[in-house]
Amino acid sequence: MKPNGFFPERILRLKAYHVPSAEGLIKLDAMENPYSWPEPVRELWLEFLRATELNRYPDPRATALKETLREVERIPATFDILFGNGSDELIQILIASLIGSEGGVLAPEPTFIMYRQIAEMFGVPFTAVPLREDFSLDLEGMVQAIEQRHPKLVFLAYPNNPAGNLFDRRAVETLIEAVDGLVVVDEAYAPFTDKTFLPDLDRFPNLLVLRTLSKWGLAGIRIGYLVGAPEWLEQFDKLRLPYNVGVLTQLTARFALTEAKPFLDGQVAEIRRERKRLFKALQALPEVEPFPSETNFILFRTPNADRVFEELKTKKILLKNLNPQGGLLRDCLRVTVGTPEENGQFLAALWRIVR
Ligand SMILES: *Cc1c(COP(=O)(O)O)cnc(C)c1O
């Protein structure tokens, strides 16, 4: 048998998530924290890891990490926390729960690509509702689609990726009330905004909040978490593989949330300051239109985005080119906020290209 006869059409049609090589380039494409750890913090972290028993399986419930997180994020005992190998895995668990049942997934688009990708992977129906020209929610369109399709899961990235904006809070609340199923508010960029739905879990029994430590500065260890009512999380927990979060990840996450927290929060403050500077500089460039961002990246529109993207690459700067996705993202590029030096190099290169 050939692979073509082995796999269903649904899988043959999928495209694997493509990560371009960034060798030798200034990497401003993936929303990573640009700062590495200073030597004294590294030493302290290694001390933390020294006591780990690598021959033993990790704590399947990550109890110690859960307690730390509860304290740091002030998550009340009435809500449970489910950990994933990145929040990607939690999205996979959420959508896997719909396999073989009625109802599907709904999300506005453009948004985080994995909601659609995972739904298609599992053959779960996916409905996309276009955002408006300014990347805000089309509330009427969303409500109409919800009434027609009765989705069991609605994903709202808050702030949204790739536009970087926050949806109107009232609109989100209206949607939570309109859905019979669950609304997952994906707060991957929580460190870079002051808005959150975490305190609203009390008011909405069908709300789940998804978070990750990736954008804060720990993309390499893979840890995300889902917060919500225990009745819901208890069921999703059955779809989680028992040892999905390794010992090194659990320990490092705890270290980051305690010992390393002040300096990681300091980096985030620096990134937020740089975001402001970068936005103003982009605004000042001829024909470049940046969109306001509550994240660690800025989406901007520029004539001939494909050419600008390629020319930046020849100048050793890697962005994300969203032009191939078309629609609202026509002629759009996305730049992650880097260090002041990296941003300076990016701006100088862009200036030479577009002026
Ligand atoms: C980056 C991102 C994620 C995935 O984060 P991981 O925890 O690294 O898997 C989820 N949602 C959104 C909106 C993102 O931008």
Side-chain angles (χ1 to χ4, degrees), residues 253-270:
R254 271 178 66 211
F255 174 78
L257 288 165
T258 54
E259 307 290 323
K261 188 168 190 304
F263 104 89
L264 279 168
D265 285 345
Q267 294 178 344
V268 164
E270 177 69 29

Side-chain angles (χ1 to χ4, degrees), residues 63-301:
T63 324
L65 174 58
K66 200 185 275 194
E67 273 169 30
T68 304
L69 190 64
R70 235 184 233 298
E71 261 174 54
V72 172
E73 295 295 339
R74 295 192 204 85
I75 299 168
T78 40
F79 298 107
D80 204 358
I81 304 169
L82 198 65
F83 289 102
N85 184 25
S87 53
D88 280 354
E89 191 192 32
L90 293 163
I91 298 168
Q92 191 180 50
I93 286 174
L94 286 159
I95 298 178
S97 71
L98 302 184
I99 296 172
S101 76
E102 299 266 305
V105 176
L106 183 142
E109 265 188 353
T111 190
F112 186 48
I113 206 94
M114 292 314 288
Y115 311 142
R116 177 193 277 275
Q117 177 89 359
I118 293 171
E120 286 177 353
M121 187 188 297
F122 290 151
V124 168
F126 181 87
T127 306
V129 179
L131 290 171
R132 292 193 292 214
E133 278 290 309
D134 61 353
F135 296 103
S136 66
L137 275 178
D138 170 10
L139 184 57
E140 250 173 70
M142 290 287 286
V143 170
Q144 219 168 52
I146 286 168
E147 282 166 1
Q148 277 168 9
R149 306 299 300 264
H150 299 284
K152 283 213 174 126
L153 284 173
V154 173
F155 283 94
L156 297 172
Y158 185 87
N160 194 23
N161 169 10
N165 61 320
L166 282 166
F167 297 135
D168 178 67
R169 170 172 275 278
R170 294 287 296 278
V172 174
E173 293 182 352
T174 304
L175 291 178
I176 299 172
E177 278 161 355
V179 172
D180 325 312
L182 293 171
V183 172
V184 181
V185 172
D186 181 347
E187 299 189 340
Y189 298 96
F192 306 98
T193 178
D194 301 322
K195 305 277 172 58
T196 172
F197 273 87
L198 211 49
D200 299 273
L201 283 167
D202 263 332
R203 298 164 50 215
F204 301 107
N206 63 331
L207 170 65
L208 301 175
V209 174
L210 184 63
R211 291 267 184 100
T212 175
L213 300 191
S214 292
K215 302 337 182 332
W216 187 45
L218 296 169
I221 66 168
R222 310 303 297 133
I223 185 100
Y225 60 97
L226 184 67
V227 189
E231 309 87 88
W232 287 109
L233 296 207
E234 190 188 341
Q235 300 302 324
F236 289 118
D237 194 35
K238 297 176 187 172
L239 296 166
R240 184 181 62 84
L241 296 176
Y243 304 114
N244 63 328
V245 181
V247 278
L248 298 177
T249 292
Q250 291 189 28
L251 259 182
T252 304
R254 271 178 66 211
F255 174 78
L257 288 165
T258 54
E259 307 290 323
K261 188 168 190 304
F263 104 89
L264 279 168
D265 285 345
Q267 294 178 344
V268 164
E270 177 69 29
I271 293 166
R272 287 171 80 147
R273 277 193 294 274
E274 272 298 298
R275 173 179 71 195
K276 207 182 263 176
R277 192 177 75 89
L278 191 54
F279 184 83
K280 282 205 182 125
L282 285 169
Q283 251 181 339
L285 286 172
E287 295 188 82
V288 171
E289 184 197 357
F291 295 92
S293 167
E294 295 269 323
T295 63
N296 63 343
F297 61 82
I298 295 175
L299 184 80
F300 63 95
R301 193 169 280 141

